[in-house]
Amino acid sequence: MDKLLLAGLTLLGLNLNAQINPIDFEPDGHGADWTWTVFENETNPDLLFVPNPFPSGINTSETVAEFTALQSGAPFAGCETMHGADIGTFSLDPSNAYVSMMVYKSVISDVGFKFATPAGASTGEIKIANTLVNQWERLVFDFTGIIGEPSSNGIDQIVVFPDFQNRSSTNVIYFDNIIFGDSSLLTSGDIHQRIQSVIWPNPANHILNFKAATDIDNISIIDVLGRTVLSTNPVSASTTIDISALPEGFYSVMLINGHHKETQKLVINRR
């Protein structure tokens, strides 16, 4: 990525949002010297910062992050920055609610991204599956749907789920050049449009809010036994779902639009 562009984005992030931007993992940049914690990945091998093993195509950066998703790790194994340090403290607004990230993967699987606050409030992860293997691809996550919600204010942590799936093997994932910006991040020809959705609050009580970039064919809520306990279709791009009839517990929310499908975790807790 052009160094002048990265420098300009860094100034924009620092001046407008008290937010470190971009995260490029270069020795003279941001990210490689942060405190990254790996979680739910069995032995939790460290996030490494290594020479770009495939410096071609859209990413010729020198240094990238390497995440080893163990076969025995949880589907939602990931890595997160430290609260109160690293990324800075900021709130989401139209100038920074889009997140661009480059990934290099040998498998097709969801990549998840979310924000969190010091109190533990989470935006909930947005998951997008890569469409390319063995080459760099840029994904863009749209968090504009939760601007103004409590979880969008006072953010001081980012969380990345590089390989959000049940694995049949250990997969090594590379990611790089995390950029926070406005809707112009969506205009690049190397981005593949998919469902861009957010659900909140999570944990939820009686009502679940939903917003996506477009209308959705179907939303299904699935319990831990794999049973569909609530289904509604079609669904407008912004809607509210009554979940008061569902017992407390852990669920999956499956979103289907044409050939695209996304799944998000949901906790119902009425305490």
Side-chain angles (χ1 to χ4, degrees), residues 43-114:
T43 58
N44 293 326
D46 290 340
L47 183 70
L48 302 178
F49 309 103
V50 300
N52 185 350
F54 311 99
S56 61
I58 64 171
N59 187 17
T60 57
S61 297
E62 294 182 5
T63 306
V64 301
E66 178 187 272
F67 183 89
T68 300
L70 298 177
Q71 179 181 353
S72 52
F76 46 89
C79 54
E80 60 190 14
T81 59
M82 178 184 288
H83 280 296
D86 299 339
I87 187 62
T89 302
F90 58 98
S91 297
L92 294 181
D93 60 48
S95 73
N96 67 350
Y98 292 87
V99 182
S100 169
M101 181 168 66
M102 294 183 181
V103 297
Y104 188 106
K105 304 176 66 172
S106 60
V107 296
I108 299 292
S109 66
D110 283 340
V111 177
F113 192 97
K114 73 176 182 179

Side-chain angles (χ1 to χ4, degrees), residues 46-210:
D46 290 340
L47 183 70
L48 302 178
F49 309 103
V50 300
N52 185 350
F54 311 99
S56 61
I58 64 171
N59 187 17
T60 57
S61 297
E62 294 182 5
T63 306
V64 301
E66 178 187 272
F67 183 89
T68 300
L70 298 177
Q71 179 181 353
S72 52
F76 46 89
C79 54
E80 60 190 14
T81 59
M82 178 184 288
H83 280 296
D86 299 339
I87 187 62
T89 302
F90 58 98
S91 297
L92 294 181
D93 60 48
S95 73
N96 67 350
Y98 292 87
V99 182
S100 169
M101 181 168 66
M102 294 183 181
V103 297
Y104 188 106
K105 304 176 66 172
S106 60
V107 296
I108 299 292
S109 66
D110 283 340
V111 177
F113 192 97
K114 73 176 182 179
F115 297 98
T117 70
S122 164
T123 57
E125 66 270 8
I126 293 178
K127 295 190 292 184
I128 303 175
N130 58 301
T131 63
L132 305 175
V133 296
N134 299 325
Q135 59 183 295
W136 285 102
E137 179 176 8
R138 190 157 71 95
L139 309 178
V140 175
F141 305 83
D142 178 2
F143 285 91
T144 56
I146 56 110
I147 291 175
E149 294 298 318
S151 61
S152 72
N153 296 316
I155 289 167
D156 73 340
Q157 184 185 54
I158 61 171
V159 186
V160 181
F161 308 86
D163 188 36
F164 206 125
Q165 65 164 336
N166 291 303
R167 292 173 212 92
S168 58
S169 62
T170 292
N171 299 320
V172 177
I173 311 297
Y174 301 95
F175 62 93
D176 195 19
N177 293 330
I178 301 174
I179 297 173
F180 309 95
D182 59 22
S183 59
S184 63
L185 289 175
L186 291 169
T187 61
S188 174
D190 60 276
I191 299 172
H192 302 266
Q193 298 290 340
R194 305 168 184 84
I195 301 173
Q196 299 275 342
S197 63
V198 179
I199 60 172
W200 78 94
N202 196 2
N205 192 325
H206 297 284
I207 295 296
L208 184 67
N209 299 301
F210 165 82

Side-chain angles (χ1 to χ4, degrees), residues 205-208 230 241-248 268 270:
N205 192 325
H206 297 284
I207 295 296
L208 184 67
L230 190 154
I241 300 173
D242 184 354
I243 56 171
S244 58
L246 300 181
E248 292 185 334
I268 298 179
R270 299 191 174 93

